[in-house]
Structure formats: C-alpha cells, structure tokens
Amino acid sequence: MEFPFDLTPVLGDRFCVVDQHLRPAGRPGPTHRGDLQQQLRTVIDELGKASAKAQGLPAPVTSAARMESNRHVLYILRDPGGAAHRPPRGAVIGFLKVGYKKLFLLDRTGVHVESEPLCVLDFYIHESLQRHGHGRALFQHMLQSERVDPRRLAIDRPSQKLLGFLRKHYGLDDPIPQVNNFVIFEGFFSNRPVLREEAEPPWPFNLRPAGGSPVRGTLRPFVRRDGRTEPPAGQTDAPPPPRRASSLGR
Ligand code: ACO
C-alpha cells in the first residue's frame, strides 16, 4: 500500500509502534511536526479501511481517532524499499493492533473467570503480500515487544485466515468455547493471575434457560484505569441497585 509522501520520517525503517499519542517515528518528542502527524493519521485510517474491507466489516475498527481514545498499540510493518526507490519511498505491508481488555471468559470446566488478557484486535497484510511470511514477522515482533506467550492471547472475532495462521505458526488449534466474540486456546489459563471468579456470572451469561423469565444480574460498573467507576454505555451514573443475596447464589 503506497502513499504520496515519504514514509521514512512517518514510520521509520521496518517496524513502527504507535500508541494513543500518535507520534511519528522521526519525532519521538512532543514537538513533532504537524504534517508528519497528519501523514501518520492518513496511514492509520487507510490501513483500517483496507482491513475492514478485507474482513467484510461494515466499518473500520482501526482509525487514528480510535487510537487516540483507546490504550491500544499498533504495530505497522513497512517495506522500506531500496536506494533505487523513487518517491513515494517505501510502502506499508500491513499492521497488527493489540490492547488489554477486561473479559469474562469460560475456562474448560465452564467457570466464568474475569481476566485482562492482551487481545488481538485487528490484523491485516496487504492482499498482494499475504502468505509471504509478513504476518508472522509482524506477529513475532509484537510477541517479543509485549513479552507475551501466544497461548495467553485472546483473539477478537478471528477470521478463517487468522485461525489458519495461528494453527500453522503457533500450534493453536484447540479453542476453549466462549459465548462472546473472543477466541482463546488451551494454555490460556495456566498460571495466569485471575482477577476473580464470578459466583454469579454477568449478563448475558446468567440467563436461565427454562422455567420462568430470564434473570438479569446486576450490571457491574466498569472499573476505569484511574480507579473510578463508570457505567456501561447508555446507563446513568446512578449507583447500581444493591445485590440481593439470592442473586449471588448463596
Ligand atoms: N487462506 C487461508 N489461510 C491463509 C490465507 C488465506 N488466504 N492467508 C494466510 N493464511 C494463513 C495460512 O495458515 C497460511 O499458511 P499456508 O500458506 O501454508 O496455508 C499462513 O496464514 C501464512 O502465514 P503468513 O504468510 O505469515 O501470514 P500473512 O502474511 O498472510 O498474514 C493474515 C496473515 C494477517 C491473516 C492475512 O492473511 C490477512 O491480512 N488476511 C485478511 C484480513 C484478516 O483476515 N485479518 C484477520 C482478521 S481477525 C482479527 O484481526 C482479530
């Protein structure tokens, strides 16, 4: 994927890591040039659109604006090109987006466990370059930078291509069934610090099948990184109703 500007000051040489501050590679400090940051925004937006198109998504899940409002990390792989390259120099090969998320996950025995794993959120290699090992190079770079074992990752709605990729390169072929969009594999829970096990799982896990109307448990406020709590989208700031002992299953 090519751009009508020189990618070197925007992305650096081969791997570029971008966080919510959207700092161009050539300007690590806060006094970066505005045009470079605009070019970085363009690269991220175009990659996000290409990934959404490749996955058949109705809208991109990756954009510069979304990066700014989340604590995600974007690994971008570029082909720096050789000395013979004329502007625009180099091209972007693809990207991988990861981030930590609090999730309720089922272990092999069906117990709900609250965990905060590193999640694979978006992954894309340009169509003309797939199956050339670029995805693996990018994924390996991310694993090393984040110091994470691939079995400890949660994958958000993986495509068939990504499932094949994980099977081939990391032997991940034994998913633990979940009721949300995330896929985890055998080894995910081994020696992992668990935030907590839920006596009463959160909605919708707590919907009771037959014999009466479904019971909806208390919606737990989300805990923010600054320690304050906030309700899920669409809810007011009113404190949650007190939990009845019976709803805790005691
Ligand atoms: N069909 C089936 N499997 C594929 C395909 C494909 N078209 N492309 C890659 N794979 C899998 C296979 O296991 C393949 O091995 P094989 O060629 O021996 O069968 C392996 O990946 C190749 O490994 P790499 O070359 O390192 O991977 P690549 O550079 O192709 O990157 C990626 C993998 C990112 C999944 C790429 O194929 C892609 O961008 N696909 C389209 C977008 C996509 O599906 N992204 C994942 C969305 S889900 C998410 O992001 C959480």
Side-chain angles (χ1 to χ4, degrees):
M1 180 179 277
E2 295 195 336
F3 292 87
F5 44 80
D6 185 1
L7 287 169
T8 304
V10 184
L11 298 180
D13 280 337
R14 188 161 182 239
F15 294 105
C16 177
V17 186
V18 179
D19 64 12
Q20 67 184 148
H21 302 296
L22 300 190
R23 288 195 196 100
R27 297 287 187 279
T31 56
H32 51 254
R33 274 167 39 197
D35 58 336
L36 291 183
Q37 197 184 48
Q38 188 49 51
Q39 288 171 353
L40 180 59
R41 298 182 75 90
T42 302
V43 168
I44 295 170
D45 287 346
E46 291 307 312
L47 285 172
K49 282 186 222 166
S51 179
K53 194 171 168 200
Q55 296 175 56
L57 302 176
V61 293
T62 299
S63 67
R66 275 179 173 244
M67 283 299 297
E68 282 175 314
S69 57
N70 289 285
R71 292 171 60 115
H72 295 157
V73 181
L74 201 60
Y75 290 84
I76 301 176
L77 176 62
R78 73 173 283 240
D79 172 7
H85 272 245
R86 294 277 172 270
R89 274 157 282 169
V92 178
I93 295 173
F95 76 96
L96 171 60
K97 186 173 78 173
V98 297
Y100 284 91
K101 278 184 182 286
K102 272 199 180 141
L103 300 174
F104 284 96
L105 295 165
L106 289 165
D107 69 11
R108 273 274 180 234
T109 63
V111 171
H112 289 93
V113 174
E114 187 179 358
S115 181
E116 193 172 9
L118 187 67
C119 300
V120 175
L121 303 170
D122 202 1
F123 190 17
Y124 169 73
I125 296 293
H126 190 270
E127 279 73 7
S128 64
L129 295 166
Q130 289 174 15
R131 288 186 142 158
H132 285 70
H134 295 299
R136 180 159 197 267
L138 194 51
F139 210 86
Q140 277 299 120
H141 187 79
M142 180 278 292
L143 292 176
Q144 279 162 12
S145 302
E146 302 292 335
R147 296 166 194 260
V148 66
D149 183 316
R151 294 169 303 167
R152 303 300 187 90
L153 296 168
I155 320 292
D156 190 2
R157 229 177 308 202
S159 63
Q160 287 304 314
K161 288 184 184 181
L162 181 51
L163 288 172
F165 172 94
L166 294 169
R167 192 181 311 117
K168 173 176 176 158
H169 295 305
Y170 301 102
L172 299 174
D173 59 358
D174 194 7
I176 302 173
Q178 302 296 317
V179 294
N180 56 23
N181 292 324
F182 284 84
V183 169
I184 58 172
F185 295 91
E186 195 60 50
F188 179 89
F189 291 106
S190 56
N191 301 323
R192 175 185 287 277
V194 162
L195 297 182
R196 67 166 148 165
E197 286 183 10
E198 286 285 291
E200 162 86 356
W203 184 90
F205 302 125
N206 61 350
L207 298 181
R208 307 211 198 293
S213 53
V215 178
R216 185 172 172 162
T218 307
L219 279 178
R220 216 170 41 83
F222 289 102
V223 180
R224 303 194 325 191
R225 288 197 181 267
D226 60 8
R228 293 173 57 205
T229 57
E230 63 183 8
Q235 305 257 319
T236 67
D237 258 328
R243 232 176 170 170
R244 286 183 300 133
S246 60
S247 73
L248 291 168
R250 292 195 189 120

